[in-house]
Amino acid sequence: MIYCRRNVVLLLLFEIAAVVLYGLISAATFSGQEISFSESDMQVQNKDNDVTEGNYLDVSFENAKAVVTPAFQLTEGVYYIEAAYVRHGIVKAGLVYDSPRNGKELVDQDEFELNPDKDNISYRVKIHDDSKIRFKLRLTGDAVDGDYIQLLQVRIVASKVTFVYRIFWLAAVLILADLLVWGYMRYYTGWNAERKIVFLVLAATAFFLGLPLYQSGLSAGSDLTFHLARLEGLYRSLKSAEGSGHFPVRIQSGWLDGYGYAVSVFYGDIFLYFPAMLRAVGFTLEEAYKAYVECVNIATVFIAFYAFRRITRDDIAAMAGSVLYAGCAQRVAITYRAMLGSASGMVFYPLIVAGFYLLFTEDVESKEYKRIWVLLTTGFTGILMTHMLSCLMVGVYCVLLCIVMLKKVLRRNTLLELTKAAGMAVLWNLWFLVPLLQYMLTEKLKINSRIADETQIEDYYATLEDFTQEGRNLYQLFTDQNTLGFALILVLVLYLVTIPVQKRLRQTKHGRVVACFTLFAIVVCTDLFPVVELAKRSMLLTKFFRTIQYQYRLMSVAVALAACLAVVFFTMEVFDRKKLYYLIGILCFITLYQNFQYDKTLTYDAVYLDGIALESRTDHGIYSYKVGNGEYLPVMTETSRLTQELEAAEPLTVSLVERKGLSFDIQVENPASEEREILFPVLYYGGYQARDLDSHVKFKTSVGDNGRVAVMIPKGYQGAVHLGFCEPWWWRIAEAVSAVTLILMVVWACRPGIVRQKIGKIREDQGRKER
């Protein structure tokens, strides 16, 4: 009676009305609170938290610790803090509570370093209570004679994001509740006891794997600031007043103090649009990042279960494989060491493993066989959109597998499935591949120049030192974080010792092949693998090893294969059902226990509540988002030489410069008898165009000094010039093809016949187990 169409429609209408009404009330009651402090309002705070009048502080003030605003009180919500100042030396800013809090006066433990090239800041904060607080500037302990602070103005403005954030949470809670009720009524109540247990175990695993995310702060990893910058850069570029003004984002505007960085062309970020949206509705940078990582954990658990169940059609075995895979030491370590690309890519490994397993084991004439391409297409698309290096690694292993299984690959239906998988993957990802290939083939960037230069190597040991030093020995396989973990190693040992008593089943034969590939993949990650010897014989392998950078990265493939072997092993009838339950329970317990032990080694002292904290990260003298090794920079760029000034060759005169993100509008006059060059403070990538605002005549645009955009102004020209990034028409065509491909795949997957067939197959499997 409750779960009928009429009641569902009424409930949804009521919820929509509630959200709309709440939104109207929140907007109507929004106060728009604003507080301003001038130079004369500022105070100097001493070490005992007493304050005196003044806005200046230097190293001669022995008892003073910061320049602060008067205490002010805010209601719960989201606010923008704007401040103007002059300073010299390393200076940090933040909000502090007015009253002592047992050494935790810093609001949210958040304090960031000021950009030395700016004299003002604007950032967003979230206030949790109405305690009195102050804005402060302070010199660090590295201050020397001549360093000082002078706080000129502070303005606190309430943001409309406050009620957007509340509306979002209300809508999210209602949607989640509806999904839980729908899932419970539609599926859970119809499941047998075994499937219910499987679901609860998977849900509990996803929860426990995310426990490190449920506390304040982040665990600082090697790539944390890089991935936070990708997220923040995407969010800022999507804002209407910033970025290139185009969707999808190709060049993120915030990097390198506004010079822009084509990270979105080379590093798939389609899944980062979700946390970027969370930033837009009021989440802090840290909250948005954690939400994404939690989604990675959940997706890994349930996608792995789906893939392994496709292999075995056994819920318990697939559940065990999912727990062992999602909770293995290597995957958890890269997740919480902020190797977000690798961790995101591992979400899709099981789909590719399942696809190739079924490709070589299923009946080629069956209806099931004709849908294997979906697994491969989805798997490779997911990896391509998250981590190019993972895509490269998996691709190499797949080529090797196809060579070994060449006889089966050459079957007509198998070739057809591989062709469909490859063709659909290309069409689906054409929007990403076309810009990527264009930049790799036509632009002079550090990433393609480095690869092209590796033609003559004298010392392979020195060249591959970074790669080979990460090779694991036997001891490290058991003790290091980036390995299989105790549970998967135990599965391997059990498989090997039970070989004499394994039954002659179809699964046993398949398990032999999976075991061989698993052991090979493990050896590739160890110091037993002849990396240098192979590199000497093949420049292609040398470039592969150099591109992968670190040997331990290949462990992710070994983990996926080991989990697949575990799933097959559990269906080989080596143990009776009761003993198998005990064994799987022990393995799952070992996996989660090892995760708990690893969690204890993590520290969570990195706080990033807003993107301004990333701007203070130094990279070769430039305060901005960290570009790491700068693989996607123009090859001639030296970041230490980048300036914020627009440089015009004499006798050009430039006035009325207006900038929005990566776009410029300027008034320019060239009285010379020949064309002259203007250098803009943005890095050059193919796609920048300059034109006259009135006639729309395009001017020559090219790469100039230090990799900046250079525009040639014709002789005698006088007028307004617009410079901006504009996608070529063939990029737009590629995006349209990908969109149409996605729509066709969704329509195909949602056909009533397909859905009924899947439901019928699930019920058939359940009925067979019950009998």
Side-chain angles (χ1 to χ4, degrees):
M1 290 293 295
I2 296 175
Y3 191 67
C4 67
R5 182 174 298 178
R6 180 172 177 270
N7 289 342
V8 169
V9 171
L10 290 175
L11 177 62
L12 291 177
L13 290 175
F14 173 78
E15 291 178 349
I16 293 172
V19 172
V20 172
L21 180 61
Y22 180 76
L24 292 174
I25 294 173
S26 298
T29 57
F30 177 69
S31 63
Q33 185 177 6
E34 182 175 333
I35 302 174
S36 295
F37 298 107
S38 65
E39 184 175 1
S40 59
D41 296 322
M42 305 308 172
Q43 300 171 339
V44 175
Q45 187 178 49
N46 63 30
K47 295 178 181 179
D48 296 324
N49 292 324
D50 295 328
V51 295
T52 58
E53 291 185 2
N55 73 326
Y56 177 86
L57 174 66
D58 61 32
V59 294
S60 66
F61 289 65
E62 295 183 358
N63 194 41
K65 67 177 184 179
V67 177
V68 298
T69 64
F72 55 92
Q73 199 169 14
L74 300 174
T75 58
E76 183 179 353
V78 180
Y79 296 83
Y80 281 98
I81 308 292
E82 301 171 359
Y85 53 86
V86 290
R87 32 73 67 209
H88 188 274
I90 302 175
V91 178
K92 291 191 174 183
L95 294 177
V96 291
Y97 290 107
D98 185 47
S99 301
R101 292 202 171 195
N102 297 321
K104 295 184 178 180
E105 284 74 25
L106 197 61
V107 175
D108 285 330
Q109 302 304 305
D110 186 31
E111 188 179 58
F112 54 90
E113 188 176 318
L114 296 181
N115 187 324
D117 298 324
K118 294 182 179 180
D119 57 9
N120 61 82
I121 57 171
S122 176
Y123 69 103
R124 196 172 76 186
V125 297
K126 188 185 296 181
I127 302 300
H128 306 287
D129 55 54
D130 58 358
S131 300
K132 287 187 176 182
I133 55 177
R134 300 173 183 266
F135 175 80
K136 70 158 188 180
L137 292 184
R138 73 172 180 90
L139 292 169
T140 67
D142 298 323
V144 296
D145 289 341
D147 291 346
Y148 67 90
I149 308 167
Q150 189 171 9
L151 187 56
L152 304 178
Q153 186 179 12
V154 175
R155 182 167 172 257
I156 302 97
V157 182
S159 172
K160 294 180 180 179
V161 173
T162 297
F163 62 81
V164 174
Y165 178 76
R166 293 169 181 170
I167 294 169
F168 173 85
W169 266 113
L170 176 61
V173 169
L174 291 176
I175 291 172
L176 179 60
D178 289 342
L179 289 175
L180 290 175
V181 172
W182 175 77
Y184 177 81
M185 300 294 294
R186 183 67 177 83
Y187 294 104
Y188 190 83
T189 55
W191 288 342
N192 58 28
E194 183 177 277
R195 175 154 288 198
K196 289 180 180 179
I197 292 173
V198 166
F199 174 77
L200 293 175
V201 169
L202 293 176
T205 300
F207 172 77
F208 284 117
L209 289 176
L211 279 179
L213 303 173
Y214 309 143
Q215 54 187 310
S216 177
L218 291 169
S219 179
S222 55
D223 295 333
L224 178 61
T225 54
F226 174 75
H227 292 298
L228 288 175
R230 289 176 61 212
L231 193 166
E232 183 70 10
L234 193 62
Y235 154 64
R236 293 192 181 187
S237 296
L238 288 171
K239 291 169 67 176
S240 59
E242 294 189 21
S244 62
H246 291 279
F247 179 86
V249 174
R250 300 296 187 180
I251 299 178
Q252 296 188 6
S253 59
W255 297 70
L256 293 171
D257 246 359
Y259 268 79
Y261 195 45
V263 64
S264 293
V265 172
F266 296 92
Y267 215 123
D269 55 14
I270 190 67
F271 297 112
L272 288 184
Y273 280 76
F274 165 66
M277 180 196 72
L278 296 182
R279 285 284 290 140
V281 300
F283 281 61
T284 66
L285 180 58
E286 179 181 310
E287 290 169 344
Y289 177 86
K290 287 181 176 180
Y292 177 77
V293 174
E294 183 60 84
C295 288
V296 167
N297 285 331
I298 294 172
T300 303
V301 169
F302 286 96
I303 288 178
F305 171 76
Y306 170 78
F308 293 144
R309 194 184 183 284
R310 286 288 299 271
I311 290 175
T312 62
R313 297 173 186 170
D314 185 301
D315 287 350
I316 295 296
M319 177 204 74
S322 175
V323 175
L324 293 176
Y325 177 73
C328 75
Q330 191 264 357
R331 198 203 71 84
V332 172
I334 65 173
T335 300
Y336 292 109
R337 287 172 58 193
M339 299 177 185
L340 196 61
S342 300
S344 301
M346 288 189 71
V347 172
F348 302 95
Y349 279 29
L351 294 176
I352 297 175
V353 171
F356 276 101
Y357 182 93
L358 296 173
L359 199 68
F360 297 130
T361 59
E362 280 286 316
D363 179 7
V364 295
E365 301 298 331
S366 65
K367 292 182 179 179
E368 184 76 15
Y369 199 84
K370 297 178 181 179
R371 294 195 292 270
I372 293 175
W373 67 269
V374 179
L375 289 172
L376 297 174
T377 297
T378 306
F380 273 110
T381 296
I383 297 178
L384 182 65
M385 290 296 101
T386 52
H387 197 227
M388 288 287 291
L389 292 184
S390 293
C391 194
L392 175 62
M393 291 187 299
V394 173
V396 169
Y397 275 99
C398 290
V399 170
L400 180 61
L401 174 62
C402 288
I403 293 173
V404 174
M405 308 294 289
L406 186 61
K407 185 176 179 180
K408 289 192 173 184
V409 168
L410 295 177
R411 296 178 300 186
R412 182 177 64 86
N413 286 353
T414 304
L415 280 174
L416 180 61
E417 289 305 302
L418 287 172
T419 302
K420 287 194 295 185
M424 293 300 292
V426 170
L427 291 176
W428 198 358
N429 297 286
L430 206 61
W431 72 276
F432 177 76
L433 293 172
V434 168
L436 172 67
L437 292 175
Q438 177 179 329
Y439 276 15
M440 288 294 289
L441 296 176
T442 63
E443 300 292 314
K444 294 182 179 179
L445 306 173
K446 291 186 178 182
I447 184 172
N448 51 17
S449 299
R450 184 189 65 187
I451 295 174
D453 288 343
E454 290 177 353
T455 54
Q456 293 183 347
I457 297 176
E458 296 181 358
D459 190 344
Y460 281 89
Y461 289 95
T463 301
L464 297 172
E465 173 64 21
D466 288 342
F467 183 86
T468 55
Q469 71 178 357
E470 297 295 340
R472 300 299 189 251
N473 56 39
L474 185 61
Y475 173 78
Q476 291 171 323
L477 280 179
F478 283 89
T479 60
D480 197 78
Q481 295 170 353
N482 286 296
T483 56
L484 300 177
F486 295 139
L488 281 176
I489 291 176
L490 181 58
V491 170
L492 283 174
V493 172
L494 287 174
Y495 175 83
L496 294 174
V497 299
T498 58
I499 286 178
V501 298
Q502 291 171 5
K503 299 179 181 179
R504 294 186 177 181
L505 301 174
R506 184 168 175 266
Q507 302 95 300
T508 305
K509 181 180 178 182
H510 300 159
R512 296 283 192 272
V513 178
V514 177
C516 289
F517 271 94
T518 301
L519 293 174
F520 170 76
I522 294 173
V523 171
V524 169
C525 303
T526 67
D527 53 10
L528 299 175
F529 192 66
V531 174
V532 174
E533 287 71 17
L534 290 173
K536 288 179 179 178
R537 290 167 173 76
S538 171
M539 182 54 62
L540 186 62
L541 285 176
T542 301
K543 291 183 177 180
F544 172 73
F545 295 144
R546 291 274 290 167
T547 302
I548 297 302
Q549 295 178 308
Y550 307 112
Q551 197 170 355
Y552 74 82
R553 282 180 169 165
L554 295 166
M555 184 62 72
S556 59
V557 179
V559 167
L561 291 173
C564 179
L565 176 62
V567 170
V568 176
F569 178 56
F570 296 148
T571 61
M572 286 166 49
E573 300 181 11
V574 176
F575 307 98
D576 61 47
R577 202 67 179 174
K578 185 176 181 181
K579 291 180 180 178
L580 180 63
Y581 288 161
Y582 283 125
L583 174 61
I584 288 176
I586 292 171
L587 291 172
C588 292
F589 174 80
I590 292 174
T591 300
L592 295 180
Y593 177 77
Q594 188 171 7
N595 291 158
F596 285 131
Q597 294 301 112
Y598 173 70
D599 292 346
K600 294 178 181 179
T601 68
L602 300 174
T603 56
Y604 300 91
D605 53 357
V607 178
Y608 298 86
L609 299 184
D610 191 78
I612 194 169
L614 297 170
E615 294 179 6
S616 66
R617 303 293 163 173
T618 60
D619 185 72
H620 303 294
I622 292 295
Y623 275 61
S624 188
Y625 298 165
K626 185 179 180 182
V627 297
N629 296 324
E631 291 92 345
Y632 316 133
L633 293 173
V635 68
M636 69 289 295
T637 302
E638 296 179 17
T639 56
S640 59
R641 292 175 50 213
L642 296 178
T643 66
Q644 294 299 307
E645 302 300 323
L646 186 148
E647 298 180 13
E650 295 183 354
L652 289 177
T653 58
V654 178
S655 60
L656 299 177
V657 179
E658 294 184 9
R659 177 174 185 172
K660 290 185 178 180
L662 300 175
S663 299
F664 291 82
D665 289 311
I666 64 172
Q667 291 285 339
V668 61
E669 180 181 358
N670 181 14
S673 58
E674 56 186 25
E675 63 181 9
R676 288 289 189 269
E677 179 185 74
I678 296 179
L679 290 172
F680 287 84
V682 288
L683 292 178
Y684 179 84
Y685 296 98
Y688 277 103
Q689 293 183 3
R691 56 181 172 82
D692 180 81
L693 279 175
D694 296 324
S695 64
H696 302 289
V697 173
K698 293 182 180 179
F699 301 143
K700 181 182 177 182
T701 306
S702 61
V703 58
D705 177 64
N706 203 27
R708 291 175 290 177
V709 173
V711 176
M712 303 305 297
I713 305 299
K715 62 181 180 179
Y717 174 82
Q718 182 177 1
V721 176
H722 173 80
L723 173 73
F725 184 83
C726 182
E727 288 194 359
W729 60 266
W730 53 90
W731 289 19
R732 291 302 187 188
I733 291 177
E735 291 165 7
V737 171
S738 295
V740 171
T741 303
L742 175 60
I743 292 171
L744 292 176
M745 288 187 67
V746 171
V747 171
W748 178 84
C750 294
R751 286 182 300 167
I754 294 289
V755 175
R756 285 197 298 268
Q757 190 175 15
K758 289 181 179 179
I759 294 175
K761 191 171 185 62
I762 291 173
R763 290 174 177 172
E764 181 183 342
D765 291 343
Q766 288 183 358
R768 187 175 64 252
K769 287 180 181 179
E770 291 174 355
R771 290 195 297 271

